[in-house]
Coordinates of all heavy atoms in Angstrom, one line a residue:
M1 N -29.3 -23.4 48.9 CA -29.2 -23.6 50.4 C -27.9 -23.1 51.0 O -27.9 -22.6 52.0 CB -29.5 -25.0 50.7 CG -29.1 -25.3 52.2 SD -29.8 -26.7 52.9 CE -28.7 -26.8 54.2
F2 N -26.8 -23.3 50.2 CA -25.5 -23.1 50.8 C -25.1 -21.6 50.7 O -24.3 -21.2 51.5 CB -24.5 -24.0 50.2 CG -24.7 -25.4 50.6 CD1 -25.2 -26.3 49.7 CD2 -24.4 -25.9 51.9 CE1 -25.4 -27.7 50.0 CE2 -24.6 -27.2 52.2 CZ -25.1 -28.1 51.3
I3 N -25.6 -20.9 49.8 CA -25.3 -19.5 49.6 C -26.5 -18.7 50.1 O -27.6 -18.8 49.6 CB -24.9 -19.1 48.2 CG1 -23.7 -19.9 47.8 CG2 -24.7 -17.6 48.1 CD1 -23.3 -19.7 46.3
S4 N -26.2 -17.8 51.2 CA -27.3 -17.1 51.7 C -26.8 -15.7 52.1 O -25.8 -15.6 52.8 CB -27.9 -17.8 53.0 OG -28.8 -17.0 53.7
T5 N -27.6 -14.7 51.7 CA -27.2 -13.3 52.1 C -27.4 -13.1 53.6 O -26.5 -12.4 54.2 CB -28.1 -12.3 51.3 OG1 -28.0 -12.6 49.9 CG2 -27.7 -10.9 51.6
K6 N -28.4 -13.6 54.2 CA -28.6 -13.5 55.6 C -27.5 -14.1 56.4 O -27.0 -13.4 57.3 CB -30.0 -14.1 55.9 CG -30.4 -13.9 57.4 CD -31.8 -14.5 57.6 CE -32.3 -14.3 59.0 NZ -33.6 -14.9 59.2
R7 N -27.1 -15.3 56.1 CA -25.9 -15.9 56.8 C -24.7 -15.1 56.6 O -23.8 -15.0 57.4 CB -25.8 -17.3 56.4 CG -26.7 -18.3 57.0 CD -26.3 -19.7 56.9 NE -26.2 -20.2 55.5 CZ -27.1 -20.8 54.8 NH1 -28.3 -21.0 55.4 NH2 -26.9 -21.1 53.6
G8 N -24.5 -14.5 55.4 CA -23.3 -13.7 55.1 C -23.3 -12.5 55.9 O -22.2 -12.1 56.4
I9 N -24.4 -11.8 56.1 CA -24.5 -10.6 56.9 C -24.2 -10.9 58.3 O -23.4 -10.2 59.0 CB -25.8 -9.9 56.7 CG1 -25.9 -9.3 55.3 CG2 -26.0 -8.8 57.7 CD1 -27.2 -8.8 54.9
I10 N -24.8 -12.0 58.8 CA -24.6 -12.4 60.2 C -23.2 -12.7 60.5 O -22.6 -12.3 61.5 CB -25.6 -13.5 60.6 CG1 -27.0 -13.1 60.6 CG2 -25.2 -14.1 61.9 CD1 -28.0 -14.2 60.7
S11 N -22.6 -13.5 59.5 CA -21.2 -13.9 59.7 C -20.2 -12.7 59.6 O -19.3 -12.6 60.4 CB -20.8 -14.8 58.5 OG -21.5 -16.0 58.6
A12 N -20.5 -11.7 58.8 CA -19.7 -10.5 58.7 C -19.8 -9.7 60.0 O -18.7 -9.2 60.5 CB -20.2 -9.6 57.5
V13 N -21.0 -9.5 60.6 CA -21.1 -8.8 61.8 C -20.4 -9.5 62.9 O -19.6 -8.9 63.7 CB -22.6 -8.6 62.1 CG1 -22.8 -8.1 63.6 CG2 -23.2 -7.7 61.1
L14 N -20.6 -10.8 63.0 CA -19.9 -11.6 64.1 C -18.4 -11.5 63.9 O -17.6 -11.4 64.9 CB -20.4 -13.1 64.1 CG -21.8 -13.3 64.6 CD1 -22.1 -14.8 64.4 CD2 -21.9 -12.9 66.0
S15 N -17.9 -11.6 62.7 CA -16.5 -11.5 62.4 C -15.9 -10.2 62.8 O -14.8 -10.1 63.4 CB -16.2 -11.7 60.9 OG -16.6 -13.0 60.5
L16 N -16.6 -9.1 62.5 CA -16.1 -7.8 62.9 C -16.1 -7.6 64.4 O -15.1 -7.1 65.0 CB -17.0 -6.7 62.3 CG -16.9 -6.4 60.8 CD1 -17.9 -5.5 60.3 CD2 -15.5 -5.9 60.5
L17 N -17.1 -8.1 65.1 CA -17.2 -8.0 66.5 C -16.0 -8.8 67.2 O -15.3 -8.3 68.1 CB -18.5 -8.5 67.1 CG -19.7 -7.6 66.8 CD1 -21.0 -8.2 67.2 CD2 -19.5 -6.2 67.4
L18 N -15.8 -10.0 66.7 CA -14.8 -10.9 67.3 C -13.4 -10.3 67.0 O -12.5 -10.3 67.8 CB -14.9 -12.3 66.7 CG -13.8 -13.3 67.3 CD1 -14.0 -13.4 68.8 CD2 -13.9 -14.6 66.6
E19 N -13.2 -9.8 65.8 CA -11.9 -9.2 65.4 C -11.7 -7.9 66.3 O -10.5 -7.7 66.7 CB -11.9 -8.8 63.9 CG -10.6 -8.3 63.5 CD -10.6 -8.2 62.0 OE1 -11.6 -8.4 61.3 OE2 -9.5 -7.8 61.5
F20 N -12.7 -7.1 66.4 CA -12.5 -5.9 67.2 C -12.1 -6.2 68.7 O -11.2 -5.6 69.2 CB -13.8 -5.1 67.2 CG -13.8 -3.8 68.0 CD1 -13.1 -2.7 67.5 CD2 -14.4 -3.7 69.2 CE1 -13.0 -1.5 68.2 CE2 -14.3 -2.5 70.0 CZ -13.6 -1.4 69.4
Y21 N -12.8 -7.2 69.2 CA -12.5 -7.7 70.6 C -11.1 -8.2 70.7 O -10.3 -7.9 71.5 CB -13.5 -8.7 71.1 CG -13.1 -9.3 72.4 CD1 -13.3 -8.6 73.6 CD2 -12.6 -10.6 72.4 CE1 -12.9 -9.2 74.8 CE2 -12.2 -11.1 73.6 CZ -12.3 -10.4 74.8 OH -11.9 -11.0 76.0
A22 N -10.8 -9.1 69.7 CA -9.5 -9.8 69.8 C -8.3 -8.9 69.7 O -7.3 -9.0 70.3 CB -9.4 -10.9 68.7
F23 N -8.4 -7.9 68.8 CA -7.3 -7.0 68.5 C -7.2 -5.8 69.5 O -6.2 -5.1 69.6 CB -7.3 -6.5 67.1 CG -6.7 -7.5 66.1 CD1 -7.1 -7.5 64.8 CD2 -5.8 -8.5 66.5 CE1 -6.6 -8.4 63.9 CE2 -5.3 -9.4 65.6 CZ -5.7 -9.4 64.3
N24 N -8.3 -5.5 70.1 CA -8.3 -4.3 70.9 C -8.5 -4.5 72.4 O -8.2 -3.6 73.2 CB -9.5 -3.3 70.5 CG -9.2 -2.8 69.1 OD1 -8.1 -2.4 68.7 ND2 -10.2 -2.9 68.2
F25 N -8.9 -5.7 72.9 CA -9.1 -5.9 74.3 C -8.3 -7.0 74.9 O -8.3 -7.2 76.1 CB -10.6 -6.1 74.6 CG -11.4 -4.9 74.3 CD1 -12.3 -4.9 73.2 CD2 -11.3 -3.8 75.1 CE1 -13.0 -3.8 73.0 CE2 -12.0 -2.7 74.8 CZ -12.9 -2.6 73.8
V26 N -7.6 -7.8 74.1 CA -6.7 -8.9 74.6 C -5.3 -8.3 74.6 O -4.7 -8.0 73.6 CB -6.8 -10.1 73.6 CG1 -5.9 -11.2 74.1 CG2 -8.2 -10.6 73.6
P27 N -4.7 -8.2 75.9 CA -3.4 -7.6 76.0 C -2.3 -8.2 75.2 O -1.5 -7.4 74.6 CB -3.1 -7.7 77.5 CG -4.5 -7.9 78.1 CD -5.3 -8.6 77.1
K28 N -2.3 -9.5 75.0 CA -1.2 -10.1 74.2 C -1.3 -9.6 72.8 O -0.3 -9.3 72.1 CB -1.3 -11.6 74.3 CG -0.3 -12.4 73.6 CD -0.5 -13.9 73.7 CE 0.5 -14.6 72.9 NZ 0.3 -16.1 72.9
N29 N -2.5 -9.6 72.2 CA -2.7 -9.2 70.9 C -2.4 -7.7 70.7 O -1.9 -7.3 69.6 CB -4.1 -9.5 70.4 CG -4.4 -11.0 70.3 OD1 -3.4 -11.8 70.3 ND2 -5.6 -11.4 70.3
I30 N -2.8 -6.9 71.6 CA -2.5 -5.5 71.6 C -1.0 -5.2 71.4 O -0.6 -4.4 70.6 CB -3.1 -4.7 72.8 CG1 -4.6 -4.8 72.8 CG2 -2.6 -3.3 72.8 CD1 -5.2 -4.3 74.1
N31 N -0.2 -5.9 72.2 CA 1.2 -5.8 72.1 C 1.8 -6.3 70.8 O 2.7 -5.6 70.3 CB 1.9 -6.5 73.3 CG 1.6 -5.9 74.6 OD1 1.3 -4.7 74.7 ND2 1.6 -6.7 75.7
I32 N 1.3 -7.3 70.3 CA 1.8 -7.8 69.0 C 1.4 -6.9 67.9 O 2.3 -6.5 67.0 CB 1.2 -9.2 68.7 CG1 1.7 -10.3 69.7 CG2 1.4 -9.6 67.3 CD1 1.1 -11.6 69.6
I33 N 0.2 -6.4 67.8 CA -0.2 -5.4 66.8 C 0.5 -4.1 66.9 O 0.9 -3.5 65.9 CB -1.8 -5.2 66.9 CG1 -2.5 -6.5 66.5 CG2 -2.2 -4.0 66.0 CD1 -2.3 -6.9 65.0
A34 N 0.9 -3.7 68.1 CA 1.6 -2.4 68.3 C 3.0 -2.4 67.7 O 3.5 -1.4 67.3 CB 1.6 -2.1 69.8
T35 N 3.6 -3.6 67.6 CA 5.0 -3.7 67.1 C 5.0 -3.8 65.6 O 6.1 -3.7 65.1 CB 5.7 -4.9 67.7 OG1 5.0 -6.1 67.3 CG2 5.7 -4.8 69.2
R36 N 3.9 -3.9 64.9 CA 3.9 -4.1 63.5 C 3.7 -2.8 62.7 O 3.1 -1.8 63.3 CB 2.8 -5.1 63.1 CG 3.1 -6.4 63.7 CD 2.4 -7.5 63.1 NE 2.8 -8.8 63.6 CZ 2.1 -9.9 63.6 NH1 1.0 -9.9 63.0 NH2 2.6 -11.0 64.1
S37 N 4.1 -2.7 61.5 CA 3.9 -1.6 60.7 C 2.5 -1.4 60.3 O 1.7 -2.4 60.4 CB 4.8 -1.6 59.4 OG 4.4 -2.7 58.6
L38 N 2.1 -0.3 59.8 CA 0.7 0.0 59.4 C 0.2 -1.0 58.3 O -0.9 -1.5 58.4 CB 0.5 1.4 59.0 CG -0.9 1.8 58.6 CD1 -1.9 1.7 59.8 CD2 -0.9 3.2 58.0
S39 N 1.0 -1.2 57.3 CA 0.6 -2.1 56.2 C 0.4 -3.5 56.7 O -0.5 -4.2 56.3 CB 1.6 -2.1 55.1 OG 2.9 -2.5 55.5
R40 N 1.3 -3.9 57.6 CA 1.2 -5.3 58.2 C -0.1 -5.4 59.1 O -0.8 -6.4 59.1 CB 2.4 -5.6 59.0 CG 2.4 -7.0 59.6 CD 2.5 -8.1 58.5 NE 2.3 -9.4 59.1 CZ 3.2 -10.3 59.2 NH1 4.4 -10.1 58.8 NH2 2.9 -11.5 59.7
Q41 N -0.4 -4.3 59.8 CA -1.6 -4.3 60.6 C -2.9 -4.4 59.7 O -3.8 -5.2 60.1 CB -1.7 -3.0 61.4 CG -0.7 -2.9 62.6 CD -0.8 -1.6 63.3 OE1 -1.7 -0.8 63.0 NE2 0.1 -1.4 64.3
I42 N -2.9 -3.7 58.6 CA -4.0 -3.8 57.7 C -4.2 -5.2 57.2 O -5.3 -5.7 57.1 CB -3.9 -2.7 56.6 CG1 -4.0 -1.3 57.2 CG2 -4.9 -3.0 55.5 CD1 -3.7 -0.2 56.3
I43 N -3.1 -5.8 56.8 CA -3.1 -7.2 56.3 C -3.6 -8.1 57.4 O -4.4 -9.0 57.1 CB -1.7 -7.6 55.7 CG1 -1.4 -6.8 54.5 CG2 -1.7 -9.1 55.5 CD1 0.0 -6.9 54.0
D44 N -3.1 -7.9 58.6 CA -3.6 -8.8 59.7 C -5.1 -8.7 59.9 O -5.8 -9.7 60.1 CB -2.8 -8.4 61.0 CG -1.4 -8.9 61.0 OD1 -1.1 -9.8 60.2 OD2 -0.6 -8.4 61.8
Y45 N -5.6 -7.5 59.9 CA -7.0 -7.3 60.1 C -7.8 -7.9 59.0 O -8.8 -8.6 59.2 CB -7.4 -5.8 60.2 CG -7.2 -5.2 61.6 CD1 -6.0 -4.5 61.9 CD2 -8.2 -5.3 62.6 CE1 -5.9 -3.9 63.2 CE2 -8.0 -4.8 63.8 CZ -6.8 -4.1 64.1 OH -6.7 -3.5 65.4
A46 N -7.4 -7.7 57.8 CA -8.1 -8.3 56.6 C -8.1 -9.8 56.6 O -9.1 -10.5 56.4 CB -7.5 -7.7 55.3
L47 N -6.9 -10.4 56.9 CA -6.8 -11.8 56.9 C -7.6 -12.4 58.0 O -8.3 -13.4 57.8 CB -5.3 -12.2 57.1 CG -5.0 -13.7 57.0 CD1 -5.4 -14.3 55.7 CD2 -3.5 -13.9 57.3
N48 N -7.6 -11.8 59.2 CA -8.4 -12.4 60.3 C -9.8 -12.2 60.0 O -10.6 -13.1 60.4 CB -8.0 -11.7 61.6 CG -6.7 -12.3 62.2 OD1 -6.7 -13.5 62.5 ND2 -5.7 -11.5 62.3
F49 N -10.3 -11.1 59.4 CA -11.7 -11.0 59.1 C -12.1 -12.1 58.1 O -13.2 -12.7 58.3 CB -11.9 -9.6 58.4 CG -13.4 -9.5 57.9 CD1 -14.4 -9.2 58.8 CD2 -13.7 -9.7 56.6 CE1 -15.7 -9.1 58.4 CE2 -15.0 -9.6 56.1 CZ -16.0 -9.3 57.0
I50 N -11.3 -12.4 57.1 CA -11.6 -13.4 56.1 C -11.7 -14.8 56.8 O -12.7 -15.6 56.6 CB -10.6 -13.5 55.0 CG1 -10.8 -12.2 54.1 CG2 -10.8 -14.7 54.1 CD1 -9.7 -11.9 53.2
I51 N -10.8 -15.1 57.7 CA -10.8 -16.4 58.4 C -12.0 -16.5 59.3 O -12.7 -17.5 59.3 CB -9.5 -16.5 59.2 CG1 -8.3 -16.7 58.3 CG2 -9.6 -17.7 60.2 CD1 -6.9 -16.6 58.9
F52 N -12.3 -15.5 60.1 CA -13.4 -15.5 61.0 C -14.7 -15.6 60.2 O -15.6 -16.3 60.6 CB -13.5 -14.2 61.9 CG -12.4 -14.2 62.9 CD1 -11.9 -12.9 63.4 CD2 -11.8 -15.3 63.5 CE1 -11.0 -12.9 64.4 CE2 -10.8 -15.2 64.4 CZ -10.4 -14.0 64.9
F53 N -14.8 -14.8 59.1 CA -16.0 -14.9 58.2 C -16.3 -16.3 57.7 O -17.4 -16.8 57.8 CB -15.9 -13.9 57.1 CG -17.1 -13.9 56.2 CD1 -18.2 -13.2 56.5 CD2 -17.1 -14.7 55.0 CE1 -19.3 -13.2 55.6 CE2 -18.1 -14.7 54.2 CZ -19.3 -13.9 54.5
I54 N -15.2 -16.9 57.2 CA -15.4 -18.3 56.7 C -15.8 -19.3 57.8 O -16.7 -20.1 57.6 CB -14.1 -18.8 56.0 CG1 -13.8 -18.0 54.7 CG2 -14.1 -20.2 55.7 CD1 -12.5 -18.1 54.1
V55 N -15.2 -19.2 58.9 CA -15.5 -20.1 60.0 C -17.0 -19.9 60.5 O -17.8 -20.8 60.6 CB -14.6 -19.9 61.2 CG1 -15.1 -20.6 62.5 CG2 -13.2 -20.4 60.9
F56 N -17.4 -18.6 60.7 CA -18.8 -18.3 61.1 C -19.8 -18.8 60.0 O -20.8 -19.3 60.3 CB -19.0 -16.9 61.4 CG -18.5 -16.5 62.8 CD1 -17.6 -15.4 62.9 CD2 -18.8 -17.2 63.9 CE1 -17.1 -15.1 64.1 CE2 -18.3 -16.9 65.1 CZ -17.4 -15.8 65.3
Y57 N -19.5 -18.5 58.7 CA -20.4 -18.8 57.6 C -20.6 -20.3 57.5 O -21.7 -20.8 57.4 CB -19.9 -18.2 56.3 CG -20.9 -18.4 55.2 CD1 -21.9 -17.4 55.1 CD2 -20.9 -19.4 54.3 CE1 -22.9 -17.5 54.1 CE2 -21.9 -19.5 53.4 CZ -22.9 -18.6 53.3 OH -23.8 -18.7 52.3
L58 N -19.5 -21.1 57.6 CA -19.6 -22.5 57.5 C -20.3 -23.1 58.7 O -21.0 -24.1 58.6 CB -18.2 -23.1 57.4 CG -17.5 -22.9 56.0 CD1 -16.1 -23.5 56.0 CD2 -18.3 -23.5 54.9
T59 N -20.1 -22.5 59.9 CA -20.8 -23.0 61.1 C -22.3 -22.7 61.0 O -23.1 -23.6 61.3 CB -20.2 -22.3 62.4 OG1 -18.8 -22.5 62.4 CG2 -20.9 -22.8 63.6
L60 N -22.6 -21.6 60.5 CA -24.1 -21.3 60.4 C -24.7 -22.1 59.3 O -25.8 -22.6 59.4 CB -24.3 -19.8 60.0 CG -24.0 -18.8 61.2 CD1 -24.0 -17.4 60.7 CD2 -24.9 -19.0 62.3
T61 N -24.0 -22.4 58.2 CA -24.5 -23.3 57.2 C -24.7 -24.7 57.7 O -25.7 -25.4 57.4 CB -23.5 -23.3 56.0 OG1 -23.3 -22.0 55.5 CG2 -24.0 -24.2 54.8
L62 N -23.7 -25.2 58.5 CA -23.9 -26.5 59.1 C -25.1 -26.6 60.0 O -25.9 -27.5 60.0 CB -22.6 -26.9 59.9 CG -22.6 -28.2 60.6 CD1 -22.7 -29.4 59.6 CD2 -21.4 -28.4 61.5
I63 N -25.3 -25.5 60.8 CA -26.4 -25.5 61.7 C -27.7 -25.5 60.9 O -28.7 -26.2 61.2 CB -26.4 -24.3 62.7 CG1 -25.2 -24.5 63.7 CG2 -27.7 -24.1 63.4 CD1 -24.9 -23.2 64.5
A64 N -27.8 -24.7 59.8 CA -29.0 -24.7 59.0 C -29.2 -26.0 58.3 O -30.4 -26.5 58.2 CB -28.8 -23.6 57.9
Y65 N -28.2 -26.7 57.9 CA -28.3 -28.0 57.3 C -28.8 -29.0 58.3 O -29.7 -29.8 58.0 CB -27.0 -28.5 56.7 CG -27.0 -29.8 56.1 CD1 -27.5 -30.0 54.8 CD2 -26.4 -30.9 56.8 CE1 -27.6 -31.3 54.3 CE2 -26.5 -32.2 56.2 CZ -27.0 -32.4 55.0 OH -27.0 -33.6 54.4
I66 N -28.3 -29.0 59.5 CA -28.8 -30.0 60.5 C -30.2 -29.7 60.9 O -31.0 -30.6 61.0 CB -27.9 -29.9 61.8 CG1 -26.5 -30.4 61.4 CG2 -28.5 -30.6 62.9 CD1 -25.4 -30.2 62.5
I67 N -30.6 -28.4 61.0 CA -32.0 -28.1 61.3 C -32.9 -28.5 60.2 O -34.0 -29.1 60.5 CB -32.1 -26.6 61.6 CG1 -31.5 -26.3 63.0 CG2 -33.6 -26.2 61.6 CD1 -31.4 -24.8 63.3
K68 N -32.5 -28.4 59.0 CA -33.3 -28.8 57.8 C -33.5 -30.3 57.8 O -34.5 -30.8 57.5 CB -32.6 -28.3 56.5 CG -33.5 -28.6 55.3 CD -32.8 -28.0 54.1 CE -33.7 -28.2 52.9 NZ -33.1 -27.7 51.7
K69 N -32.5 -31.0 58.2 CA -32.6 -32.5 58.2 C -33.4 -33.0 59.4 O -34.2 -34.0 59.3 CB -31.2 -33.2 58.3 CG -30.4 -33.1 57.0 CD -31.1 -33.8 55.9 CE -30.3 -33.8 54.7 NZ -30.9 -34.5 53.6
I70 N -33.3 -32.3 60.5 CA -34.1 -32.7 61.7 C -35.6 -32.4 61.6 O -36.5 -33.1 61.9 CB -33.5 -32.1 63.0 CG1 -32.1 -32.7 63.3 CG2 -34.4 -32.3 64.2 CD1 -31.4 -32.1 64.4
F71 N -35.8 -31.2 61.1 CA -37.2 -30.7 60.9 C -37.5 -30.4 59.5 O -37.6 -29.3 59.0 CB -37.4 -29.4 61.7 CG -37.1 -29.5 63.2 CD1 -36.0 -28.8 63.7 CD2 -37.9 -30.2 64.0 CE1 -35.7 -28.9 65.0 CE2 -37.6 -30.3 65.4 CZ -36.5 -29.7 65.9
P72 N -37.8 -31.5 58.7 CA -38.1 -31.3 57.3 C -39.5 -30.6 57.1 O -40.4 -30.7 57.9 CB -38.2 -32.7 56.7 CG -38.4 -33.6 57.9 CD -37.8 -32.9 59.1
K73 N -39.6 -29.8 56.0 CA -40.9 -29.2 55.8 C -41.9 -30.2 55.4 O -41.6 -31.1 54.6 CB -40.7 -28.1 54.6 CG -39.9 -27.0 55.0 CD -39.8 -26.0 53.9 CE -38.9 -24.8 54.3 NZ -38.8 -23.8 53.2
S74 N -43.1 -30.0 55.9 CA -44.2 -31.0 55.5 C -44.7 -30.6 54.1 O -44.8 -29.4 53.8 CB -45.3 -31.0 56.5 OG -45.8 -29.6 56.6
K75 N -45.1 -31.6 53.3 CA -45.6 -31.3 52.0 C -47.1 -31.1 51.9 O -47.9 -31.5 52.6 CB -45.2 -32.5 51.1 CG -43.7 -32.6 50.9 CD -43.4 -33.8 50.0 CE -41.9 -33.9 49.8 NZ -41.5 -35.0 49.0

């Protein structure tokens, strides 16, 4: 129940979208990223992707768990 490819894919897509938005359309973040070296930028993108992925995956897992408890399958 806790490991799911579907939730992983959804989390990855949401993470990429949020990271793209946060680093490319928020003026404060654009200025911060512009002052960093290329290697530091790559590390920032990777670290933020991992953090966003974990948050989205755990949130989706919690929602799936709550739905499973509220609407149990009939036998």
Side-chain angles (χ1 to χ4, degrees):
M1 168 160 160
F2 292 107
I3 298 175
S4 170
T5 305
K6 186 176 180 181
R7 281 195 301 265
I9 292 170
I10 292 170
S11 298
V13 170
L14 289 174
S15 298
L16 285 173
L17 291 174
L18 182 61
E19 185 174 2
F20 182 76
Y21 171 77
F23 281 154
N24 294 316
F25 294 111
V26 177
K28 181 180 175 184
N29 294 341
I30 293 170
N31 293 333
I32 292 171
I33 291 295
T35 62
R36 297 196 172 162
S37 66
L38 180 62
S39 61
R40 182 66 191 251
Q41 288 178 5
I42 292 170
I43 291 170
D44 286 343
Y45 276 99
L47 183 62
N48 279 300
F49 174 79
I50 291 168
I51 291 169
F52 291 152
F53 179 83
I54 290 170
V55 168
F56 283 128
Y57 190 83
L58 290 175
T59 303
L60 290 173
T61 302
L62 178 65
I63 291 170
Y65 178 76
I66 291 171
I67 290 173
K68 187 175 180 181
K69 288 295 182 182
I70 292 174
F71 304 111
K73 292 182 180 178
S74 59
K75 294 181 180 178

